[in-house]
Amino acid sequence: MKKTGAKIFVETLLEHGVNTMFGYPGGVLLPIYDELYHAPIRHILSRHEQGAIHAADGYARATGKVGVCMATSGPGATNLVTGLATAFMDSVPVVAFTGQVSTHLLGIDSFQEADIYGISIPVTKYNYLVKETSRLKEVMYEAFHLAISGRPGPVLIDLPKDVQTIQIDDPPVPALTLPQRRPHLDPVERDRQLEKILSLIRDAKRPVIYAGGGVIKSDKAHEALLRLAEKAQMPVTTTLMGKGGFPETHSLSLGMLGMHGTRYANYAVAKCDLLIAVGARFDDRVTGEPSTFAKEAKIVHLDIDPAEVGKIIQVDACLIGQARDLLQELADRVEPQAHEEWISQIAQWKRDFPLSYPKKEGVISPQYVVEQIYEKTRGEAIITTEVGQNQMWAAQYFKSTRPRTFITSGGLGTMGYGFPAAIGAKIGCPDRIVFDIAGDGSFQMNIQELATAVYNKVNVKIAILNNGFLGMVRQWQELFYGRRYSQTTLNGNPDFIKIAEGYGALGIRVEKPEDVPSAIERAIAEDHPVVIDFHVDPEENVYPMVPPGGAIHNMLDRKE
């Protein structure tokens, strides 16, 4: 039986369990969209291709499944690039399909032709340009395997129009012939490394575990981490990407470390004598100046990607593998520890340096809004964020306790990410409350996706921390550039209530602190997308703050 490439495409999606995808059609994708017309796949039509890929990304992070999106050739494809880079930096499994001009038109500057294969090489885990319909099914099987195996990441498949229309014999399910991953360490060396790590844990007086996004992505790694931390009495700090990997309500939790981490997390890392990094990559927002990072500590690195080991910080021991497997192995083998003096010291730092913010009469503090979202959702919501001050306040004041509940663009820092990601997360987890904590700048970067949320009845809540500024950039101008606010004042902001109503969503404006709790309660009760426009203190800053390039134990704080 002969089948077109478009039909093979849809059947292969179904074979991979895809029941939801995000996209925006175009002329070169008409054969595929015609096949999708009757397919049992829910296609969410975004209002911009960037919205589609961020939604697929949010869907993937919230569910642990592969997120799927599609865009047409030329500008449609290039509009995916920021989303690909966002997913690549944060190791998110996304398979993105792009339409392409027919093969005989390639390379001659045809209408809406762009070399997305070449453009996307640096921002994908792998990419393909399929020139033969006979290769399509095999390539799609490889792409779904690559996206989620090992260190996850985005894979792009570029599909010329004629590849979609040519008919071929029904292809069989392909056998994957990808190269097998070889162990990074031979068995003898691996045993030596494991014994060394156990010895370092046994001898440590001031240990700290530093957990990153790898703990979120490795199924049940958070359970092994909790068991290891409690058994060896090792405090745990997480990166922004690692939030939810260890319950932030636990007595051993230090919260987030780094540029806007807690003082006690940064002090603990500065003074620890053993730092166990798991699923983390020592990025510059965590380490500050690397030569000053954890200077008193032996360093252990557990990671899925051997390329990350020793890239920024030299280590004393390492193991390569899934975070879940490595943590389970350590939790099984480690001897119970106490560290009473160290735990007592950290408790004292927590009492001396708690996260705090000023409470001004009649002024809404943005941190208070985040605290109220945490309380009114009993900490059970899925939180997405935009990027900037809103992202850091959300990370500091919403205590995450479970994996896949704090979704943010950590590596690339993509403004405009949070709202479409919230749409994807809500579609993937329809029974969960989903809040996008946004800034008035970031929200406007993909505000058009209100139409997507309203039309598809995606019941997300957007909490705008509206300060009238590009807040984080303004904060740096205040602290390091003599308070010269060059191009960071958002004059001309729209009326967000009218915008929400124009799209068919509910808009709530909040200008008094006493109205914050009831507004959040009302939003949660509404079975509808809601935009809450919180008018917050315009010049509030995020503290603590490590100046760029500084040592993480040297933090700025507000002047009383």
Side-chain angles (χ1 to χ4, degrees), residues 193-209 225 227-235 273-277 298-302 316-317 319 326-339 342:
Q193 292 288 322
L194 176 59
E195 292 302 325
K196 185 174 183 181
I197 293 169
L198 291 170
S199 173
L200 289 170
I201 294 174
R202 187 167 52 246
D203 295 342
K205 306 298 183 190
R206 304 185 306 278
V208 168
I209 298 174
L225 174 58
R227 192 157 61 91
L228 173 63
E230 290 183 336
K231 189 174 180 181
Q233 285 297 288
M234 293 191 284
D273 62 357
L274 174 64
L275 185 72
I276 300 176
K298 298 288 186 182
I299 307 290
V300 170
H301 198 172
L302 315 175
D316 296 281
L319 287 173
L326 301 178
L327 289 167
Q328 284 177 347
E329 192 171 13
L330 288 181
D332 290 341
R333 296 280 305 275
V334 75
E335 299 167 7
Q337 309 278 322
H339 306 305
W342 179 229

Coordinates of all heavy atoms in Angstrom, one line a residue, residues 193-209 225 227-235 273-277 298-302 316-317 319 326-339 342:
Q193 N 36.3 5.6 41.7 CA 35.7 6.9 41.9 C 34.6 6.8 42.9 O 34.4 7.6 43.8 CB 35.1 7.4 40.6 CG 36.1 7.8 39.5 CD 36.9 9.1 39.9 OE1 36.3 10.0 40.4 NE2 38.2 9.1 39.6
L194 N 33.8 5.7 42.8 CA 32.7 5.5 43.8 C 33.3 5.4 45.2 O 32.7 6.0 46.2 CB 31.9 4.3 43.4 CG 30.8 3.9 44.4 CD1 29.8 5.0 44.6 CD2 30.1 2.6 44.0
E195 N 34.3 4.6 45.4 CA 34.9 4.4 46.7 C 35.5 5.7 47.2 O 35.4 6.1 48.4 CB 36.0 3.3 46.7 CG 35.4 1.9 46.5 CD 34.4 1.5 47.5 OE1 34.6 1.9 48.7 OE2 33.4 0.8 47.2
K196 N 36.0 6.5 46.3 CA 36.6 7.8 46.7 C 35.5 8.8 47.2 O 35.6 9.5 48.2 CB 37.4 8.4 45.6 CG 38.1 9.7 45.9 CD 38.9 10.3 44.8 CE 39.7 11.5 45.2 NZ 40.5 12.0 44.1
I197 N 34.4 8.7 46.5 CA 33.2 9.6 46.9 C 32.7 9.2 48.2 O 32.4 10.0 49.1 CB 32.1 9.6 45.8 CG1 32.6 10.2 44.5 CG2 30.9 10.3 46.3 CD1 31.8 10.0 43.3
L198 N 32.5 7.9 48.4 CA 32.1 7.4 49.7 C 33.0 7.8 50.9 O 32.6 8.2 52.0 CB 31.9 5.9 49.7 CG 30.7 5.4 48.8 CD1 30.8 3.9 48.6 CD2 29.4 5.8 49.4
S199 N 34.3 7.7 50.6 CA 35.3 8.1 51.6 C 35.2 9.6 51.9 O 35.3 10.1 53.0 CB 36.7 7.8 51.0 OG 37.7 8.3 51.9
L200 N 35.0 10.4 50.8 CA 34.9 11.9 51.0 C 33.7 12.2 51.8 O 33.7 13.1 52.7 CB 34.8 12.6 49.6 CG 36.1 12.6 48.8 CD1 35.8 13.1 47.4 CD2 37.2 13.5 49.5
I201 N 32.6 11.5 51.6 CA 31.4 11.8 52.4 C 31.6 11.4 53.9 O 31.2 12.1 54.8 CB 30.2 11.0 51.8 CG1 29.8 11.5 50.4 CG2 29.0 11.0 52.7 CD1 28.8 10.7 49.7
R202 N 32.3 10.2 54.0 CA 32.6 9.7 55.4 C 33.4 10.7 56.2 O 33.2 10.9 57.4 CB 33.2 8.4 55.3 CG 33.4 7.6 56.6 CD 33.8 6.2 56.4 NE 35.0 6.0 55.5 CZ 34.9 5.5 54.3 NH1 33.7 5.0 53.8 NH2 36.0 5.4 53.5
D203 N 34.4 11.3 55.5 CA 35.4 12.2 56.2 C 34.9 13.7 56.3 O 35.5 14.4 57.1 CB 36.7 12.2 55.4 CG 37.4 10.9 55.5 OD1 37.0 10.0 56.3 OD2 38.2 10.6 54.6
A204 N 33.8 14.0 55.6 CA 33.4 15.4 55.6 C 32.8 15.8 56.9 O 32.1 15.1 57.5 CB 32.4 15.6 54.4
K205 N 33.1 17.1 57.3 CA 32.5 17.7 58.4 C 31.4 18.7 58.1 O 30.5 19.0 58.8 CB 33.6 18.4 59.3 CG 34.7 17.5 59.7 CD 34.3 16.3 60.5 CE 35.5 15.5 61.0 NZ 35.1 14.2 61.6
R206 N 31.6 19.3 56.8 CA 30.7 20.4 56.4 C 30.2 20.1 55.0 O 30.5 20.9 54.1 CB 31.3 21.7 56.5 CG 31.9 22.0 57.9 CD 32.5 23.4 58.0 NE 33.5 23.7 57.0 CZ 34.8 23.4 57.1 NH1 35.2 22.7 58.1 NH2 35.6 23.7 56.1
P207 N 29.4 19.0 54.7 CA 29.1 18.7 53.4 C 27.8 19.5 52.9 O 27.0 19.9 53.7 CB 28.7 17.2 53.4 CG 28.2 17.1 54.8 CD 29.0 18.0 55.7
V208 N 27.8 19.7 51.6 CA 26.6 20.4 50.9 C 26.4 19.7 49.6 O 27.3 19.4 48.9 CB 26.8 21.9 50.7 CG1 25.7 22.4 49.8 CG2 26.8 22.6 52.0
I209 N 25.1 19.4 49.3 CA 24.7 18.9 48.0 C 24.2 20.1 47.2 O 23.3 20.8 47.7 CB 23.6 17.8 48.1 CG1 24.2 16.6 48.9 CG2 23.2 17.3 46.7 CD1 23.1 15.5 49.2
L225 N 17.5 11.6 46.2 CA 18.2 12.7 46.8 C 17.8 13.0 48.2 O 18.6 13.2 49.1 CB 18.0 14.0 45.9 CG 18.5 15.3 46.5 CD1 20.0 15.2 46.7 CD2 18.2 16.5 45.6
R227 N 16.6 10.8 50.2 CA 17.1 9.7 51.1 C 18.6 9.8 51.4 O 19.0 9.7 52.6 CB 16.8 8.3 50.4 CG 17.0 7.1 51.2 CD 16.3 5.9 50.6 NE 16.7 5.5 49.3 CZ 17.7 4.6 49.0 NH1 18.3 4.0 50.0 NH2 18.0 4.4 47.8
L228 N 19.3 10.2 50.4 CA 20.8 10.5 50.6 C 21.0 11.6 51.6 O 21.8 11.5 52.6 CB 21.5 10.8 49.3 CG 22.9 11.2 49.4 CD1 23.8 10.1 50.0 CD2 23.5 11.6 48.0
A229 N 20.3 12.7 51.4 CA 20.5 13.9 52.2 C 20.1 13.6 53.7 O 20.9 14.0 54.6 CB 19.6 15.1 51.7
E230 N 19.0 12.9 53.9 CA 18.6 12.6 55.3 C 19.5 11.6 56.0 O 19.9 11.7 57.1 CB 17.2 12.1 55.3 CG 16.1 13.2 54.9 CD 14.7 12.7 55.0 OE1 14.5 11.5 54.9 OE2 13.8 13.6 55.2
K231 N 19.9 10.6 55.2 CA 20.8 9.6 55.8 C 22.2 10.1 56.2 O 22.7 9.8 57.2 CB 21.0 8.4 54.8 CG 21.7 7.2 55.3 CD 21.6 6.1 54.3 CE 22.3 4.8 54.8 NZ 22.3 3.7 53.8
A232 N 22.7 11.0 55.3 CA 24.1 11.5 55.6 C 24.0 12.9 56.2 O 25.0 13.6 56.4 CB 24.9 11.6 54.3
Q233 N 22.8 13.4 56.4 CA 22.6 14.8 57.0 C 23.4 15.8 56.3 O 24.2 16.5 56.8 CB 23.0 14.7 58.5 CG 21.9 14.1 59.4 CD 20.6 14.8 59.4 OE1 20.5 15.9 59.9 NE2 19.6 14.3 58.7
M234 N 23.1 15.9 55.0 CA 23.8 16.8 54.1 C 22.8 17.9 53.7 O 21.8 17.5 53.0 CB 24.4 16.2 52.9 CG 25.6 15.2 53.3 SD 26.6 14.6 51.9 CE 25.5 13.4 51.2
P235 N 23.0 19.2 54.0 CA 22.1 20.2 53.5 C 22.1 20.3 52.0 O 23.1 19.9 51.3 CB 22.7 21.5 54.1 CG 23.5 21.0 55.3 CD 24.0 19.7 54.9
D273 N 33.2 21.8 53.3 CA 34.4 21.1 53.0 C 34.2 19.9 52.0 O 35.2 19.3 51.5 CB 35.1 20.5 54.2 CG 34.3 19.5 55.0 OD1 33.1 19.3 54.6 OD2 34.7 19.0 56.0
L274 N 32.9 19.7 51.6 CA 32.6 18.8 50.5 C 31.4 19.3 49.8 O 30.4 19.5 50.4 CB 32.3 17.4 51.1 CG 31.8 16.4 50.0 CD1 32.9 16.1 49.0 CD2 31.4 15.1 50.7
L275 N 31.5 19.5 48.5 CA 30.4 19.9 47.7 C 30.1 18.8 46.6 O 31.0 18.5 45.8 CB 30.7 21.2 46.9 CG 29.5 21.8 46.1 CD1 28.5 22.4 47.1 CD2 30.0 22.9 45.2
I276 N 28.9 18.2 46.7 CA 28.5 17.2 45.8 C 27.5 17.8 44.8 O 26.4 18.1 45.1 CB 27.8 16.0 46.5 CG1 28.8 15.4 47.5 CG2 27.4 15.0 45.5 CD1 28.2 14.3 48.3
A277 N 28.0 18.0 43.6 CA 27.1 18.6 42.5 C 26.5 17.5 41.8 O 27.1 16.5 41.3 CB 27.9 19.4 41.5
K298 N 36.3 19.9 48.8 CA 36.5 18.8 47.8 C 35.3 18.8 46.9 O 34.1 19.0 47.4 CB 36.7 17.5 48.4 CG 37.9 17.4 49.3 CD 39.2 17.3 48.5 CE 40.4 17.1 49.4 NZ 41.7 17.1 48.7
I299 N 35.4 18.7 45.6 CA 34.3 18.7 44.7 C 34.0 17.4 44.1 O 34.9 16.7 43.5 CB 34.6 19.8 43.6 CG1 35.0 21.1 44.1 CG2 33.4 19.9 42.7 CD1 33.9 21.9 44.8
V300 N 32.8 16.9 44.2 CA 32.3 15.7 43.5 C 31.3 16.1 42.5 O 30.4 17.0 42.8 CB 31.7 14.7 44.5 CG1 31.0 13.6 43.8 CG2 32.8 14.2 45.5
H301 N 31.4 15.6 41.3 CA 30.4 15.9 40.2 C 29.7 14.6 39.7 O 30.4 13.7 39.3 CB 31.1 16.6 39.1 CG 30.2 17.4 38.2 ND1 30.6 18.2 37.2 CD2 28.8 17.4 38.2 CE1 29.5 18.7 36.6 NE2 28.4 18.3 37.1
L302 N 28.4 14.6 39.8 CA 27.6 13.5 39.3 C 26.8 14.1 38.1 O 26.0 15.0 38.4 CB 26.7 12.9 40.4 CG 27.2 12.7 41.8 CD1 26.1 12.2 42.7 CD2 28.4 11.6 41.7
D316 N 37.3 16.6 42.2 CA 38.1 15.6 42.9 C 37.7 14.2 42.6 O 38.4 13.2 42.7 CB 38.1 15.8 44.4 CG 38.8 17.2 44.7 OD1 40.0 17.3 44.8 OD2 38.0 18.2 45.0
A317 N 36.4 14.0 42.3 CA 35.9 12.7 41.9 C 34.6 12.9 41.1 O 33.9 14.0 41.2 CB 35.6 11.9 43.2
L319 N 31.2 10.7 38.8 CA 30.5 9.6 38.2 C 29.6 10.1 37.1 O 29.0 11.1 37.2 CB 29.7 8.8 39.3 CG 30.5 8.0 40.3 CD1 29.5 7.5 41.4 CD2 31.3 6.9 39.7
L326 N 22.7 7.2 40.2 CA 23.9 7.6 41.0 C 23.5 7.9 42.4 O 24.2 7.5 43.4 CB 24.6 8.7 40.3 CG 25.1 8.5 38.9 CD1 25.8 9.8 38.3 CD2 26.0 7.3 38.8
L327 N 22.4 8.7 42.6 CA 22.0 9.0 43.9 C 21.5 7.8 44.7 O 21.7 7.7 45.9 CB 20.9 10.1 43.9 CG 21.3 11.5 43.4 CD1 20.1 12.4 43.1 CD2 22.2 12.1 44.5
Q328 N 20.8 6.9 44.0 CA 20.3 5.7 44.7 C 21.5 4.9 45.2 O 21.5 4.3 46.3 CB 19.5 4.9 43.7 CG 18.0 5.4 43.6 CD 17.2 4.6 42.6 OE1 17.7 3.8 41.8 NE2 15.9 4.9 42.5
E329 N 22.5 4.8 44.3 CA 23.7 4.0 44.7 C 24.4 4.6 45.9 O 24.8 3.9 46.8 CB 24.7 4.0 43.5 CG 25.8 3.0 43.6 CD 26.6 2.8 42.3 OE1 26.4 3.7 41.4 OE2 27.4 1.9 42.2
L330 N 24.5 5.9 45.9 CA 25.2 6.6 47.1 C 24.3 6.4 48.3 O 24.8 6.2 49.4 CB 25.4 8.0 46.8 CG 26.5 8.4 45.8 CD1 26.7 9.9 45.6 CD2 27.9 7.8 46.2
A331 N 23.0 6.6 48.1 CA 22.1 6.5 49.3 C 22.2 5.1 49.9 O 22.1 4.9 51.1 CB 20.7 6.8 48.9
D332 N 22.3 4.1 49.1 CA 22.4 2.7 49.5 C 23.7 2.4 50.3 O 23.8 1.7 51.3 CB 22.3 1.7 48.4 CG 20.9 1.6 47.8 OD1 20.0 2.1 48.5 OD2 20.8 1.2 46.6
R333 N 24.8 3.0 49.8 CA 26.1 2.7 50.3 C 26.6 3.6 51.4 O 27.5 3.2 52.1 CB 27.1 2.8 49.1 CG 26.9 1.8 48.0 CD 27.5 0.4 48.3 NE 28.9 0.5 48.7 CZ 29.9 0.4 47.8 NH1 29.6 0.3 46.5 NH2 31.1 0.4 48.3
V334 N 26.1 4.8 51.5 CA 26.7 5.8 52.4 C 26.3 5.4 53.9 O 25.3 4.7 54.1 CB 26.1 7.2 52.1 CG1 24.7 7.4 52.6 CG2 27.0 8.3 52.8
E335 N 27.2 5.7 54.7 CA 27.0 5.4 56.2 C 26.2 6.6 56.8 O 26.4 7.7 56.4 CB 28.3 5.2 56.9 CG 29.1 4.0 56.3 CD 30.6 4.1 56.9 OE1 30.9 4.9 57.7 OE2 31.4 3.2 56.4
P336 N 25.3 6.3 57.7 CA 24.6 7.4 58.4 C 25.6 8.4 59.0 O 26.6 8.0 59.6 CB 23.8 6.7 59.5 CG 23.6 5.3 58.9 CD 24.9 5.0 58.2
Q337 N 25.3 9.7 58.9 CA 26.1 10.8 59.4 C 25.3 11.7 60.3 O 24.0 11.6 60.3 CB 26.7 11.6 58.3 CG 27.4 10.8 57.2 CD 28.8 10.4 57.5 OE1 29.5 11.2 58.1 NE2 29.2 9.2 57.1
A338 N 26.0 12.6 61.1 CA 25.2 13.5 61.9 C 25.5 15.0 61.6 O 24.6 15.7 61.2 CB 25.6 13.3 63.4
H339 N 26.8 15.4 61.7 CA 27.1 16.8 61.3 C 26.4 17.8 62.2 O 25.9 18.9 61.7 CB 26.9 17.1 59.8 CG 27.6 16.1 58.9 ND1 28.9 15.8 59.0 CD2 27.0 15.3 57.9 CE1 29.2 14.9 58.0 NE2 28.1 14.6 57.4
W342 N 27.7 21.5 62.1 CA 27.5 22.1 60.8 C 26.0 22.5 60.6 O 25.7 23.6 60.2 CB 27.9 21.2 59.7 CG 27.8 21.6 58.2 CD1 27.2 20.9 57.2 CD2 28.2 22.8 57.6 NE1 27.3 21.5 56.0 CE2 27.9 22.8 56.2 CE3 28.9 24.0 58.1 CZ2 28.2 23.8 55.4 CZ3 29.1 25.0 57.2 CH2 28.8 24.9 55.9

